[in-house]
Amino acid sequence: MVGLMDITEAVENRGWTLAYQRADVGFSVLHQRVQLDIDLALRKLKGSTEITISPHSADLKTVRLNCRQCDLNRLSINGKPSASMTYTDPYKQSRLGWKAGINQHHMLQDRLEGQLRVPPPEPELVINLPKSIRILELDPDTTLDRAGKASGDPMVVDVTQNTKPAIDQTTRFTPIIISVDFSIDEIRDGIQFVGFNSGDLQFPHAYSQNSLPGAACCLFPCLDAVDSRSTWEISFRCPRTIGDAFRRSVSLRSASSNGIRGTDSQQADAEQLPGLSDEEEALDLVVICSGDMTDEIIDPRDPSKKTTSFTCTTPVAPQHIGFAIGPFEHVDLAAFRESDEDDKLGQNAVPVHGFCLPGRAEELKNTCLPLAKAIDFFTLTYGSYPFSSYKLCFLEDSMQDCVETASLSLCSTRLLFPEDIIEPLDRVTRQLVYTLACQWSGVNIIPKEPADTWAVVGMAYFITDMFMRKLSGNNEYRYQQKRASDLVCGLDVARPSIYDTGKILWLEPSQAEFLALKSPLVLFILDRRLQKASGSSGFSRIISRVFLNAKVGDMVNGALNTANFQKTCERLGHAKLDVFFAQWVYGAGCPRFRVTQRFNKKRLVVEMLIQQVQGDAQSEVDIDPNTFMRDVKEDLQGIFAGAVQPAFTGPMTIRIHEADGTPYEHIVEIKEVMTKFDIPYNTKYKRLKRSRRQKERTTGPAIDFTAENHDDVLLYCLGDVLQTEEEVREWRLSEWSKEEEDKMSQESYEWIRMDADFEWICKMQLNQPGYMYLSQLQQDRDVVAQLESIQFMAASREHPLVSTIFIRTLMDSRYFHGIRTAAATALARLAKDEIGWVGLFHLEKAFQEFFCLPGSKMTRSNDFSDRASYYIQCAIPRAIAKIRDNSGKAPLTARKFLYEKLRYNDNSNNEFSDSHYLATLMNALAESISSAIPQQSEIFDLMTNDGDELAFFHSCLEEIDRYRRIDEWIPSYHNILSAAALECKRRLMTAGGIPTRAADFLQYTQDGCYSDLRLTAFSCLVELGLTRNDHMLRWFLFVLGTDPSPYIRERMLYLFGKSLGLTAVGESSHPTPASAGPQPTALIIEQESSTQARQDDLARRKTISGALAALRTDLAANTTLQSSLWQAITSPALTLPQLGALLEICSLLYEPQTSILLVLKYPRYWQCHSNGRTTLPGTSKPSLVLTFSHTSKVRTKLVPKLPLRTSAVPQAPPTPALKRSGSSSSTATAPLRLSIKPPKKPGTPGLPQSAGMLAPATPSEGTKPKLTLKLNVKGSSKGVGPGTPRG
């Protein structure tokens, strides 16, 4: 059975079509041709694209396109080279050019503001059209064929001519063809390579990532917007086999020798095959792409290469073009069509193809078995399939579980499961069917604006649920709708409407979970109301018309608008829906009804009062660490909850089952907050006494199932087991008292059912007695009514009679399995000491009756052939694990029961795997024993008085660890046993039962373990608060920033936000011992400081501002977080959205500082080393060679300026002059010139060498160096010799 959390798990990790309003760029794309040459071994590509655009006016001067991480090599317009363009690659701006720190996060954020803000992203490539390009207005009757002939490209014409009605664009001006040649050497986004890293043992393959707008332009220039739809031609040139992908060709060698990305490690990777066998090397690489394959050609110049071409004649957006390249095995899923459906469809049957990695074909067949039936159902019910075929490809490390592209769904291998696995059957089937439904509503039909996303998502899920009803039955369908309705009522508090939620999907992807939950429910109740109001076929006819409008071109560009959608519903449903859309689409919240009823015997009417109490003030809830980042983003962006609607209006069906058992329906119009009305009573007979009818049932003859006794059959149709006196004694059952029977006999009707036709998403509180709910549980065939009865009685006061009702419901196999599991869960609340632990007794007795040997508590060998029985077998241990005594501890009986079922489990004769069942038992046992962990003050008493308690505790730990060791040798499905063992350890560490050891989880966080197992280990580290340790935090952020799997990085980003949420609200990993707290009778003196601390603690738990302030305070001094977080930000492995998410976290934690840190090296001392005399090149005499080099000693202080020496050479005046005797003052001075000449001969006498005057010539041996100073006065050439006096 799908659990409550599985409803949201089914919509997690989706690739959503995010619509947005794009400003008019002045042109439309008619056709695009893309050619990609992908080098798988070196993870790079080169290619070219040809974009045919249609200008909207003759004044078009610039063409703005999206292009990321590409190196543009050539640009031409209409075949003529052009260089007038501006290109800004955001990935080249994702790192600051200096040594920045965490406080400079805003400087990097400002650089990427255009790419990280609300879509659409800013165009990175701006092309200026040359003046030679003339844009002429064409004749209105001129077709695109004429324009194509003028441009010399008839291929573009042939493709787009047939799709002109779908494009709904008239080519008024001359088309322009823009051609771009590009290459990508460092790929960060747009395509994922798996199996090409060293140590990666997965089969090598690559695939596109189409999760968000902006992913397509990372592979080729385009207009990357969801409303830019065109036809496509795509060709891929890639290696032919896996071996060819890793062998280095001659061209690769020459490129590496020329220095083009030719590192030694990459060359080695290209030459050395990564441990592949000969059979694996020979596996052909298959190219799968959106559209239809036209040809596959072996390259005549290089036989190791091949080119595969595809065309897509249906206009789609660039983000809906997906592809995958790998050694895929093909499975024809159309072969699983039933013969009658095949005959009915004939030539219109849509081919369905499945592709998977080698060795997983059987899992693919088992997982995708219903898809051929689903596509036939959609085609016959809602309209023809918009493409020619449908393909699914299952891939490793996919960020989302499913990504929808045109005629192709890229799915994760996490969804595959073999035949012996039961648990994921319902969830995965619904998810794959929804992926198929998105081909109609999601790819072919897109939302016109972000706010219209609810309609597109809702229609896809609505037709998905319609098929699931056909596949699984009406009970399963209504049961899941009821549980989803209850979940929406609990979540839709202080949230925006589904119309406004579409506008904020870009802010936090988790908003998509709520949108996918409520949108189909709104359409479900709309369908219920339209069927009742007009008697039409309901919403199915409306969906068919919407799909038809998109096909014939009435819906411009295939974009759906909420206003037009409402008009279509009104026109075909023959009803005005303004109020309905205002309350359920544009409005927020869900109604909460409080109903009181009283029978008036005098007037023979039932007086009813319906009050809407959703407007009552509700208590403020604590901040949830799981949604902390979403709440913070909404608070910072100013996104507030929708106004609480005081009154929801509309019709409500009230069904009264009167005394004769006949149901009478009354439709009441709810118009105000308080609605008061009278319902006439029809029956004049008294209510049948239950005691008499029970005696007739148990002691009298068997009931004859004929028309005469049909009412008796209905009265006791369900829950009539365990009726004999012996069974009543054996099962400790209780019956109604005499007073209760008398009161029941005085009632004038059996029960009242509010909203009998399920037309509301609401919480209903009706004050009818419990025995009326019992009648509803036993006599109403609707599973929704039965579930409402279970919910009411589970919330009532504990009583043995309620336990009797639940155990009879559980033991009656005629009930739907969801009702039986709900009864088992409710029995846990009735296991109380005050009523003799009757709930626990009934649960154990039921398990023994169903799954144990007769007359023994020993479990039989598992038999999961009956799915309903399997769900019961899992539900009973889960319920027993929640039983607690008055002190909050699980009773020893419950713990021993779970331990024995885990220890003596036998699956030897079962054809199905018991991995999920064992994980259920392990988690149940850990939950139970963790509640009975003794406190420090109790350990001594246990050791002295009851040593068996501790021995039993250690036996439980050993049993859990035994299954973990078994999983290491015989891996279970997705290593679920190891994951369960880690969760058990985390639970016990949190309760203080075992020491907290990070090493127990670290070994599972390493690369090589299964992805979900790694994430479970990291999640345990976060829950235990171990990421506050510097070493753990450094490792956590290292994996977040560098792991090659985008799925791991995305989930680690979520866990990091959860870790911040736990720190912000101040949750501790270990509970406070009971002895540490104040005693109830102790006197507490509150001081002002403690009051302030309590206020701060309350603020951090209730308000976002208080939580952020506490978070900044707690992490302000954490330098490890600062350095590790900045290293993750600067990692080249992050995608642009992931980088933006980390920068947002930085902006929350740290104050920005606009500064640049300049790093200057200290000067170092020089040292001189003499190399002796040697003859230098070009000289004939030997010279002394000195080598000057830096030392390791640094100079940290400034060197004082050396004084100028004047002893040898006197300081000359500012203007040197020589005054001659007898000269006049007019000719007093003349400048002097000083020259130094070496002596001409070795024996020539000269001046002695003085400081600051070094002879440039090397003197001979035995001769002292001499200098000759010659002072030349302007106009004189007299020399100054040794004996000449100085002037």
Side-chain angles (χ1 to χ4, degrees):
M1 183 183 62
V2 183
L4 269 174
M5 294 306 296
D6 292 338
I7 296 180
T8 55
E9 287 176 2
V11 297
E12 279 185 353
N13 301 325
R14 302 217 50 82
W16 286 86
T17 300
L18 297 181
Y20 49 82
Q21 280 184 312
R22 176 173 55 88
D24 186 15
V25 294
F27 64 91
S28 301
V29 179
L30 300 179
H31 181 72
Q32 184 162 357
R33 180 183 299 166
V34 179
Q35 296 177 347
L36 298 178
D37 187 352
I38 302 179
D39 190 329
L40 297 175
L42 296 182
R43 298 181 290 280
K44 62 181 182 179
L45 64 84
K46 60 182 179 179
S48 62
T49 183
E50 188 178 273
I51 307 174
T52 304
I53 66 173
S54 173
H56 293 170
S57 67
D59 300 330
L60 183 64
K61 302 299 180 184
T62 59
V63 175
R64 301 176 180 271
L65 299 174
N66 300 109
C67 182
R68 298 180 181 178
Q69 74 180 5
C70 298
D71 296 327
L72 304 183
N73 302 326
R74 190 180 66 88
L75 171 67
S76 62
I77 302 176
N78 284 351
K80 299 179 181 179
S82 176
S84 180
M85 67 174 183
T86 303
Y87 175 47
T88 304
D89 185 6
Y91 288 93
K92 293 183 179 178
Q93 298 185 0
S94 60
R95 297 190 67 176
L96 299 177
W98 58 88
K99 189 176 181 181
I102 198 72
N103 295 104
Q104 284 75 50
H105 59 84
H106 66 292
M107 304 177 73
L108 181 56
Q109 205 165 12
D110 292 342
R111 282 189 171 195
L112 304 175
E113 179 184 5
Q115 307 299 329
L116 298 178
R117 67 178 187 179
V118 185
E122 290 185 350
E124 298 85 6
L125 178 59
V126 180
I127 302 173
N128 299 317
L129 297 180
K131 295 181 180 180
S132 59
I133 300 297
R134 299 181 61 188
I135 302 177
L136 302 178
E137 186 171 3
L138 302 176
D139 188 88
D141 297 330
T142 302
T143 61
L144 191 59
D145 187 19
R146 194 175 304 173
K149 292 179 180 179
S151 63
D153 191 0
M155 181 61 70
V156 178
V157 179
D158 293 340
V159 175
T160 57
Q161 184 177 1
N162 297 330
T163 58
K164 185 180 177 182
I167 300 175
D168 196 25
Q169 295 172 345
T170 303
T171 307
R172 295 179 52 202
F173 298 92
T174 308
I176 300 174
I177 300 177
I178 299 175
S179 301
V180 183
D181 293 347
F182 58 91
S183 61
I184 308 176
D185 290 337
E186 297 181 1
I187 298 178
R188 293 180 59 172
D189 255 338
I191 185 172
Q192 175 67 20
F193 295 92
V194 180
F196 295 98
N197 293 324
S198 58
D200 192 348
L201 301 180
Q202 301 176 99
F203 278 99
H205 60 286
Y207 55 91
S208 61
Q209 293 179 314
N210 304 67
S211 56
L212 294 172
C217 65
C218 293
L219 297 179
F220 48 83
C222 60
L223 187 59
D224 201 354
V226 73
D227 57 348
S228 175
R229 293 151 67 92
S230 64
T231 55
W232 293 82
E233 288 181 75
I234 311 171
S235 63
F236 300 90
R237 185 174 182 267
C238 65
R240 192 171 55 86
T241 64
I242 292 181
D244 295 333
F246 284 95
R247 294 188 185 95
R248 185 172 60 177
S249 63
V250 177
S251 58
L252 177 61
R253 269 197 213 98
S254 61
S256 301
S257 62
N258 291 332
I260 302 177
R261 195 175 167 80
T263 61
D264 294 339
S265 61
Q266 288 169 343
Q267 294 178 20
D269 289 343
E271 287 180 346
Q272 192 174 9
L273 300 184
L276 297 173
S277 63
D278 295 338
E279 293 79 6
E280 293 172 341
E281 291 180 28
L283 291 175
D284 289 333
L285 291 179
V286 180
V287 181
I288 308 165
C289 182
S290 301
D292 303 319
M293 187 175 72
T294 56
D295 54 30
E296 186 175 63
I297 304 173
I298 304 298
D299 194 331
R301 294 175 297 179
D302 186 359
S304 65
K305 297 275 189 178
K306 68 177 180 180
T307 301
T308 310
S309 302
F310 299 84
T311 59
C312 185
T313 57
T314 303
V316 294
Q319 70 183 80
H320 289 147
I321 296 296
F323 65 88
I325 304 174
F328 301 117
E329 293 182 1
H330 173 253
V331 175
D332 184 11
L333 297 176
F336 298 101
R337 261 193 192 97
E338 297 180 1
S339 57
D340 56 341
E341 294 179 350
D342 206 359
D343 297 338
K344 187 185 301 183
L345 292 170
Q347 297 295 328
N348 295 325
V350 180
V352 184
H353 306 281
F355 296 90
C356 63
L357 294 172
R360 311 201 69 170
E362 292 301 322
E363 294 182 26
L364 188 147
K365 293 178 183 178
N366 181 70
T367 305
C368 302
L369 183 65
L371 288 184
K373 187 180 183 68
I375 200 170
D376 295 341
F377 173 79
F378 292 155
T379 302
L380 294 174
T381 308
Y382 302 108
S384 61
Y385 182 64
F387 304 99
S388 59
S389 64
Y390 180 61
K391 303 177 285 291
L392 295 99
C393 187
F394 289 87
L395 309 156
E396 298 284 353
D397 292 341
S398 177
M399 189 183 301
Q400 289 81 25
D401 286 342
C402 294
V403 177
E404 299 83 23
T405 65
S407 73
L408 170 65
S409 294
L410 302 176
C411 306
S412 172
T413 54
R414 297 185 295 271
L415 299 180
L416 295 175
F417 59 94
E419 291 182 344
D420 60 344
I421 297 296
I422 301 176
E423 198 74 21
L425 178 61
D426 295 332
R427 173 179 57 85
V428 171
T429 300
R430 184 173 186 261
Q431 196 164 358
L432 292 178
V433 173
Y434 169 77
T435 302
L436 171 62
C438 286
Q439 298 296 317
W440 280 268
S441 181
V443 177
N444 189 47
I445 294 178
I446 59 175
K448 186 175 183 180
E449 297 180 2
D452 303 320
T453 307
W454 76 272
V456 175
V457 173
M459 283 196 303
Y461 271 112
F462 183 85
I463 65 176
T464 297
D465 292 335
M466 289 296 102
F467 173 75
M468 294 301 296
R469 180 175 66 175
K470 180 181 180 181
L471 185 67
S472 303
N474 191 60
N475 282 345
E476 178 74 25
Y477 169 71
R478 290 182 62 83
Y479 176 73
Q480 295 296 341
Q481 294 295 94
K482 172 59 179 174
R483 294 172 65 246
S485 175
D486 294 340
L487 191 57
V488 167
C489 291
L491 294 176
D492 197 4
V493 179
R495 296 183 73 110
S497 64
I498 57 175
Y499 183 82
D500 294 329
T501 300
K503 303 175 184 178
I504 58 176
L505 286 178
W506 62 270
L507 183 65
E508 180 62 33
S510 63
Q511 296 283 358
E513 299 174 15
F514 177 74
L515 191 67
L517 195 62
K518 186 176 180 180
S519 297
L521 275 177
V522 171
L523 297 182
F524 168 75
I525 64 173
L526 176 62
D527 173 66
R528 303 296 299 171
R529 295 190 183 187
L530 289 178
Q531 287 186 16
K532 177 173 290 188
S534 61
S536 63
S537 57
F539 193 68
S540 296
R541 181 186 176 193
I542 297 173
I543 293 180
S544 301
R545 177 57 62 88
V546 172
F547 291 167
L548 180 62
N549 292 342
K551 180 180 180 180
V552 301
D554 292 344
M555 188 181 299
V556 178
N557 207 23
L560 182 64
N561 179 271
T562 301
N564 294 333
F565 179 68
Q566 178 182 342
K567 292 179 182 179
T568 304
C569 295
E570 291 176 344
R571 185 172 63 254
L572 298 179
H574 309 291
K576 299 296 287 185
L577 299 174
D578 294 334
V579 177
F580 180 88
F581 273 74
Q583 294 176 352
W584 296 101
V585 177
Y586 301 106
C590 296
R592 298 175 183 270
F593 294 108
R594 184 181 299 159
V595 183
T596 57
Q597 51 81 28
R598 187 177 70 89
F599 179 69
N600 192 322
K601 294 184 179 180
K602 293 182 179 180
R603 301 171 54 202
L604 288 179
V605 295
V606 179
E607 300 173 346
M608 301 198 71
L609 175 64
I610 300 179
Q611 293 177 288
Q612 299 190 41
V613 296
Q614 65 269 13
D616 296 352
Q618 298 181 359
S619 59
E620 193 174 7
V621 297
D622 290 347
I623 297 175
D624 185 5
N626 294 289
T627 60
F628 173 72
M629 291 304 302
R630 187 196 70 192
D631 297 336
V632 168
K633 292 176 183 179
E634 292 180 357
D635 185 76
L636 296 179
Q637 293 289 336
I639 298 173
F640 303 105
V644 178
Q645 303 181 65
F648 285 79
T649 61
M652 179 180 290
T653 302
I654 301 175
R655 183 180 300 156
I656 299 181
H657 293 255
E658 297 189 2
D660 61 348
T662 305
Y664 293 90
E665 289 191 354
H666 307 272
I667 300 177
V668 178
E669 193 71 24
I670 307 297
K671 296 181 179 180
E672 298 176 353
V673 177
M674 186 176 297
T675 304
K676 194 173 184 179
F677 53 90
D678 296 335
I679 297 179
Y681 189 73
N682 300 281
T683 305
K684 297 182 180 180
Y685 299 100
K686 290 286 186 179
R687 185 177 188 274
L688 297 178
K689 291 185 179 181
R690 181 174 301 273
S691 60
R692 180 171 59 84
R693 302 297 300 175
Q694 284 184 348
K695 290 180 181 179
E696 293 176 359
R697 180 73 177 174
T698 55
T699 61
I703 292 179
D704 182 19
F705 288 87
T706 60
E708 297 177 359
N709 296 323
H710 187 62
D711 293 339
D712 292 341
V713 175
L714 288 180
L715 183 61
Y716 294 101
C717 63
L718 296 172
D720 57 350
V721 298
L722 305 179
Q723 297 286 341
T724 65
E725 295 182 0
E726 181 181 356
E727 290 174 334
V728 169
R729 289 193 304 270
E730 181 183 356
W731 287 78
R732 292 168 51 184
L733 303 180
S734 301
E735 298 294 347
W736 299 98
S737 64
K738 184 67 170 59
E739 293 78 9
E740 290 171 332
E741 287 185 358
D742 293 340
K743 188 176 180 180
M744 292 163 56
S745 64
Q746 299 301 320
E747 295 289 349
S748 300
Y749 48 85
E750 291 282 338
W751 74 91
I752 298 178
R753 173 89 186 278
M754 304 296 298
D755 188 24
D757 287 340
F758 205 162
E759 302 169 85
W760 293 76
I761 307 171
C762 64
K763 280 290 186 181
M764 189 75 66
Q765 181 182 350
L766 177 62
N767 69 333
Q768 66 181 358
Y771 50 77
M772 290 189 177
Y773 277 107
L774 172 60
S775 299
Q776 178 176 308
L777 174 64
Q778 293 181 339
Q779 301 177 35
D780 201 321
R781 294 180 180 272
D782 187 5
V783 294
V784 175
Q786 296 168 5
L787 187 58
E788 288 174 350
S789 301
I790 294 287
Q791 292 172 345
F792 173 83
M793 288 186 284
S796 60
R797 184 176 61 87
E798 296 86 357
H799 194 278
L801 182 58
V802 180
S803 183
T804 299
I805 296 171
F806 286 159
I807 190 57
R808 283 173 171 164
T809 304
L810 176 60
M811 298 301 295
D812 193 345
S813 59
R814 293 171 296 176
Y815 276 107
F816 177 66
H817 68 81
I819 304 301
R820 299 174 66 191
T821 55
T825 304
L827 276 171
R829 295 192 66 257
L830 301 170
K832 298 295 182 182
D833 190 18
E834 293 80 4
I835 56 176
W837 301 102
V838 62
L840 175 59
F841 171 79
H842 282 160
L843 286 172
E844 292 182 347
K845 185 72 174 175
F847 193 93
Q848 180 179 351
E849 184 74 16
F850 284 137
F851 311 111
C852 293
L853 297 174
S856 171
K857 293 185 179 181
M858 179 60 66
T859 308
R860 295 196 305 262
S861 179
N862 294 329
D863 182 10
F864 297 157
S865 57
D866 183 3
R867 287 182 59 201
S869 176
Y870 168 76
Y871 293 144
I872 299 297
Q873 190 169 353
C874 293
I876 292 178
R878 278 197 294 261
I880 293 178
K882 299 184 181 301
I883 296 176
R884 300 291 183 271
D885 58 17
N886 294 331
S887 62
K889 297 180 180 179
L892 182 61
T893 305
R895 286 176 276 157
K896 287 186 176 180
F897 173 86
L898 296 173
Y899 171 74
E900 291 172 356
K901 298 303 172 282
L902 180 63
R903 179 175 178 81
Y904 300 111
N905 176 71
D906 179 16
N907 203 59
S908 57
N909 299 321
N910 191 13
E911 60 179 340
F912 295 95
S913 170
D914 63 344
S915 56
H916 284 89
Y917 174 63
L918 285 174
T920 300
L921 290 177
M922 293 167 65
N923 286 316
L925 178 60
E927 182 180 359
S928 183
I929 63 176
S930 63
S931 66
I933 298 298
Q935 304 295 336
Q936 287 296 121
S937 58
E938 302 173 352
I939 291 180
F940 179 76
D941 296 336
L942 287 175
M943 294 179 64
T944 55
N945 300 330
D946 192 4
D948 294 339
E949 182 83 9
L950 290 179
F952 172 74
F953 178 77
H954 290 296
S955 299
C956 294
L957 296 182
E958 177 61 29
E959 194 64 27
I960 292 173
D961 197 60
R962 181 173 73 89
Y963 281 104
R964 181 191 62 82
R965 295 193 302 269
I966 290 176
D967 196 42
E968 293 180 354
W969 290 97
I970 308 175
S972 59
Y973 174 73
H974 288 181
N975 292 115
I976 188 174
L977 295 182
S978 296
L982 294 183
E983 284 291 344
C984 294
K985 285 188 176 182
R986 193 270 308 165
R987 191 187 296 270
L988 293 172
M989 289 179 183
T990 302
I994 58 177
T996 302
R997 294 188 298 266
D1000 293 347
F1001 308 98
L1002 277 179
Q1003 58 178 328
Y1004 295 100
T1005 62
Q1006 300 178 5
D1007 192 12
C1009 295
Y1010 182 67
S1011 299
D1012 286 340
L1013 180 59
R1014 295 180 64 194
L1015 292 172
T1016 300
F1018 276 115
S1019 178
C1020 293
L1021 292 175
V1022 170
E1023 291 281 354
L1024 292 169
L1026 294 177
T1027 51
R1028 299 168 193 168
N1029 178 276
D1030 290 346
H1031 300 289
M1032 295 297 103
L1033 180 61
R1034 192 177 293 111
W1035 169 243
F1036 185 92
L1037 292 176
F1038 174 78
V1039 174
L1040 190 154
T1042 61
D1043 197 273
S1045 171
Y1047 172 69
I1048 293 290
R1049 295 197 305 268
E1050 194 70 18
R1051 299 301 298 171
M1052 291 288 289
L1053 192 59
Y1054 162 76
L1055 291 177
F1056 185 47
K1058 181 179 179 179
S1059 176
L1060 294 178
L1062 290 170
T1063 304
V1065 301
E1067 289 192 5
S1068 176
S1069 58
H1070 297 288
T1072 304
S1075 59
Q1079 300 298 325
T1081 58
L1083 178 63
I1084 302 176
I1085 302 177
E1086 280 195 0
Q1087 299 181 356
E1088 185 177 356
S1089 59
S1090 62
T1091 303
Q1092 182 63 37
R1094 289 181 58 191
Q1095 292 177 354
D1096 294 341
D1097 182 70
L1098 186 64
R1100 74 187 302 175
R1101 289 181 176 273
K1102 301 290 186 181
T1103 64
I1104 294 297
S1105 58
L1108 284 178
L1111 182 64
R1112 294 190 187 102
T1113 303
D1114 293 346
L1115 300 180
N1118 194 333
T1119 57
T1120 302
L1121 174 62
Q1122 298 178 13
S1123 60
S1124 300
L1125 181 56
W1126 189 250
Q1127 287 180 3
I1129 288 175
T1130 57
S1131 170
L1134 291 180
T1135 63
L1136 207 59
Q1138 292 168 351
L1139 175 60
L1142 290 181
L1143 289 175
E1144 274 188 308
I1145 292 176
C1146 291
S1147 64
L1148 298 176
L1149 299 179
Y1150 306 107
E1151 293 293 333
Q1153 296 178 5
T1154 306
S1155 60
I1156 298 178
L1157 180 63
L1158 297 179
V1159 180
L1160 301 177
K1161 295 182 179 180
Y1162 280 124
R1164 291 186 290 173
Y1165 283 91
W1166 288 87
Q1167 65 181 0
C1168 179
H1169 176 70
S1170 176
N1171 296 326
R1173 296 181 181 276
T1174 183
T1175 303
L1176 299 177
T1179 62
S1180 59
K1181 297 182 179 180
S1183 303
L1184 180 63
V1185 179
L1186 303 178
T1187 302
F1188 293 86
S1189 62
H1190 280 114
T1191 64
S1192 59
K1193 183 179 180 182
V1194 296
R1195 192 188 300 273
T1196 58
K1197 296 182 180 179
L1198 293 177
V1199 179
K1201 189 176 181 180
L1202 296 176
L1204 190 62
R1205 300 182 181 179
T1206 57
S1207 57
V1209 180
Q1211 187 73 20
T1215 306
L1218 182 63
K1219 186 176 181 181
R1220 300 182 180 86
S1221 58
S1223 62
S1224 61
S1225 59
S1226 59
T1227 60
T1229 61
L1232 294 176
R1233 292 186 301 172
L1234 178 65
S1235 63
I1236 304 175
K1237 292 184 177 181
K1240 295 181 179 180
K1241 296 180 181 180
T1244 305
L1247 292 175
Q1249 185 172 342
S1250 60
M1253 299 182 184
L1254 298 178
T1258 303
S1260 60
E1261 294 182 6
T1263 306
K1264 294 182 178 181
K1266 298 182 184 289
L1267 292 179
T1268 301
L1269 297 180
K1270 183 177 180 182
L1271 297 176
N1272 293 331
V1273 182
K1274 191 175 183 181
S1276 175
S1277 60
K1278 294 183 178 180
V1280 181
T1284 306
R1286 301 178 184 180

